């Protein structure tokens, strides 16, 4: 069956965030959620800005709560997948945060008639983002929409019980994805704790009987990153404008999204027969890639180890421990290569790799499951919204 349509603004409001001034921002305090933090499906608590408690109290109307739905009112146009205007994300934490300007919060007027989760999934559709991007004004590389643009959308509007059923079906997939993300985070933290224990605190197997001279255990060495990494063959680079939502080959770049998009260009395929470390020259983001992929936009550096006693898993964890934050916006790869890291004995390196590679494999397996869930949810979403599936 098909559902009748209604104007979204008859059922929701869009609260635009608070216009904080530049002088309001401080180094620590109450976090502020900006456009960059609206990273579907969840709001991201990384690279945060802060305001003082005094400023936060003045903006108390804009305090966010768990499960709030946020929409980006500014972003790039539709061909720039990762930051497209109109993207939506849920608040999935209980930490006190504030809403910044150009981010909108969806507020349901009557929860007995309109299900917020249903509205969230409606706004999550690719065709809705395309429609909003078509309404956007602004420069060529930046698009802006207004709360009115969102409220003027036409939404299929079945009765509240049907809305709830549709949202519950789709949320089952999101709950599984969220659970996988939590497991991924725990595994990543476990791997980093083990690295710290062995290579920072020097509590590696056999440390009790191994002499340490000037912070370096016997049989170990300290080398520059640039002397450890090997030369990677040049590969075709996929431009951001050529990213697709679906395709045979995942595109990896320096953005926060683990997979930035897809391509079918086999000439761009990177398959070295071993994991590859990705380093963002501008973003400093590190990724451990365990599958064939295509290299994304400029600034995406591919790293492999050329040192027998430095397996890829250990090199990856070692690079995570390198602090390059003082260089701010720059080409960071040259600074990364100038840093020095510990190279252990072969026995220690192999034992670490044996343990951590299993964790990294589990992480990738969870990502694969989540990706399949997202694809299944996205196929189901328009069919449920259009009433093609009888409930």
């Amino acid at each position: 069956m098909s559902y009748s349509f209604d104007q979204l603004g008859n059922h929701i409001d869009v609260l635009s965030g608070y216009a904080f001034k530049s002088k309001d921002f401080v180094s620590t305090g109450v976090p502020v959620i900006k456009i960059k933090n609206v990273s579907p499906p969840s709001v991201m608590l990384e690279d945060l800005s802060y305001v003082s408690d005094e400023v936060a109290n003045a903006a108390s109307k804009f305090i966010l709560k768990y499960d709030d739905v946020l929409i980006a009112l500014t972003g790039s146009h539709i061909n720039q997948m990762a930051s497209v205007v109109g993207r939506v994300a849920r608040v999935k934490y209980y930490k006190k945060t504030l809403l910044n300007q150009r981010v909108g919060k969806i507020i349901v007027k009557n929860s007995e008639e309109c299900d917020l989760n249903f509205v969230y999934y409606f706004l999550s559709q690719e065709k809705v983002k395309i429609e909003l991007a078509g309404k956007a004004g602004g420069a060529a590389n930046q698009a802006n929409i207004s709360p009115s643009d969102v409220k003027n959308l036409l939404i299929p509007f079945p009765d509240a019980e049907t809305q709830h059923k549709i949202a519950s079906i789709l949320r089952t997939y999101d709950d599984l994805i969220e659970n996988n993300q939590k497991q991924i985070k725990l595994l990543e933290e476990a791997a980093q704790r083990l690295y710290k224990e062995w290579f920072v605190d020097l509590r590696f197997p056999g440390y009790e009987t191994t002499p340490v001279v000037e912070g370096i255990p016997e049989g170990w060495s300290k080398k520059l990153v640039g002397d450890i990494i090997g030369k990677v063959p040049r590969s075709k680079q996929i431009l951001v404008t050529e990213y697709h939502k679906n395709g045979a080959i995942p595109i990896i770049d320096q953005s926060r999204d683990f997979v930035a998009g897809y391509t079918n260009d086999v000439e761009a395929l990177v398959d070295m027969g071993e994991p590859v470390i990705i380093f963002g020259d501008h973003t400093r983001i590190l990724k451990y890639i365990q599958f064939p992929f295509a290299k994304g936009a400029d600034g995406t550096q591919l790293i492999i180890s050329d040192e027998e006693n430095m397996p890829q898993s250990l090199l990856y964890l070692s690079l995570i421990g390198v602090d390059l934050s003082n260089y701010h916006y720059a080409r960071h790869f040259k600074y990364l290569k100038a840093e020095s890291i510990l190279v252990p004995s072969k026995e220690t390196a192999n034992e670490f790799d044996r343990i951590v590679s299993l964790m990294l494999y589990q992480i990738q397996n969870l990502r694969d499951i989540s990706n399949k869930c997202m694809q299944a949810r996205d196929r189901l979403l328009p069919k449920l919204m259009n009433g093609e599936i009888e409930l």
Side-chain angles (χ1 to χ4, degrees), residues 63 100 111 192 224 293 309 386:
I63 294 174
N100 195 48
S111 59
Q192 291 176 35
L224 296 178
F293 64 95
N309 291 8
N386 295 335

Side-chain angles (χ1 to χ4, degrees), residues 159-179:
D159 60 75
E161 183 181 356
T162 302
Q163 292 178 40
H164 180 69
K165 286 180 180 178
I166 290 171
S168 296
I169 291 169
L170 295 168
R171 190 147 187 170
T172 300
Y173 290 95
D174 281 341
D175 288 344
L176 178 57
I177 293 167
E178 184 180 355
N179 184 54

Side-chain angles (χ1 to χ4, degrees), residues 194 196-208 220:
L194 186 66
K196 181 179 182 297
E197 181 183 346
W198 286 27
F199 299 100
V200 177
D201 302 333
L202 297 182
R203 294 294 190 265
F204 53 91
Y207 77 92
E208 301 94 339
W220 294 30

Side-chain angles (χ1 to χ4, degrees), residues 266-285:
V266 293
E267 292 182 7
L269 185 67
V270 177
D271 187 0
M272 297 185 182
E274 64 176 326
V276 178
I277 299 166
I278 300 294
F279 176 74
D281 210 353
H282 294 305
T283 62
R284 307 193 306 271
I285 287 173

Side-chain angles (χ1 to χ4, degrees), residues 21-125:
K21 298 180 177 63
S22 297
K23 66 179 182 179
D24 292 334
F25 293 104
V26 292
S27 56
T28 59
V30 180
V32 176
I33 300 303
K34 295 184 172 182
I35 286 288
K36 62 185 176 181
N37 304 110
V38 183
S39 181
S42 302
V43 174
M44 180 180 61
L45 291 179
E46 295 178 19
D47 193 17
L48 290 166
S49 301
Y50 301 88
V51 294
S52 66
D53 288 332
E54 182 181 0
V55 172
N57 290 335
S60 58
K61 175 184 175 182
F62 301 90
I63 294 174
L64 298 171
K65 64 181 184 298
Y66 186 85
D67 245 8
D68 274 346
V69 176
L70 307 186
I71 184 167
L73 302 176
T74 293
S76 50
H77 287 283
I78 196 68
N79 60 342
Q80 306 246 333
M81 292 181 52
S83 57
V84 65
V85 67
R87 65 193 184 276
V88 291
R90 304 296 297 250
V91 173
K92 288 296 182 182
Y93 53 82
Y94 292 97
K95 184 181 182 74
K96 180 181 178 181
T97 57
L98 293 163
L99 188 67
N100 195 48
Q101 62 181 340
R102 303 309 302 157
V103 182
K105 174 182 168 181
I106 305 298
I107 301 174
V108 166
K109 294 179 180 179
N110 185 343
S111 59
E112 292 184 2
E113 295 180 357
C114 182
D115 189 315
L116 177 61
N117 293 316
F118 179 78
V119 174
Y120 165 72
Y121 286 114
F122 166 75
L123 292 171
S124 298
Q125 295 177 99

Side-chain angles (χ1 to χ4, degrees), residues 177-290:
I177 293 167
E178 184 180 355
N179 184 54
N180 286 348
Q181 289 172 336
K182 289 177 180 177
Q183 291 185 60
I184 287 171
K185 185 177 180 181
L186 290 172
L187 286 165
E188 288 174 337
E189 290 172 351
Q192 291 176 35
R193 281 197 305 271
L194 186 66
Y195 174 82
K196 181 179 182 297
E197 181 183 346
W198 286 27
F199 299 100
V200 177
D201 302 333
L202 297 182
R203 294 294 190 265
F204 53 91
Y207 77 92
E208 301 94 339
T209 57
T210 303
V212 177
V213 180
E214 296 182 354
I216 301 177
E218 186 178 74
W220 294 30
S221 62
K222 210 166 200 180
K223 293 186 178 182
L224 296 178
V225 171
D227 294 334
I228 292 171
I229 61 178
K231 187 171 176 138
V232 177
R234 291 180 65 86
S235 57
K236 183 176 181 180
Q237 181 175 290
I238 305 296
L239 301 176
V240 175
T241 53
E242 297 171 348
Y243 289 16
H244 298 294
K245 186 173 177 60
N246 298 293
I249 306 170
I251 300 170
I252 307 297
D253 64 13
Q254 63 172 333
S255 66
R256 294 188 180 279
D257 293 323
F258 193 77
V259 173
Y262 293 87
T263 182
N264 291 314
D265 190 344
V266 293
E267 292 182 7
L269 185 67
V270 177
D271 187 0
M272 297 185 182
E274 64 176 326
V276 178
I277 299 166
I278 300 294
F279 176 74
D281 210 353
H282 294 305
T283 62
R284 307 193 306 271
I285 287 173
L286 282 158
K287 301 176 185 178
Y288 191 79
I289 308 303
Q290 304 176 73

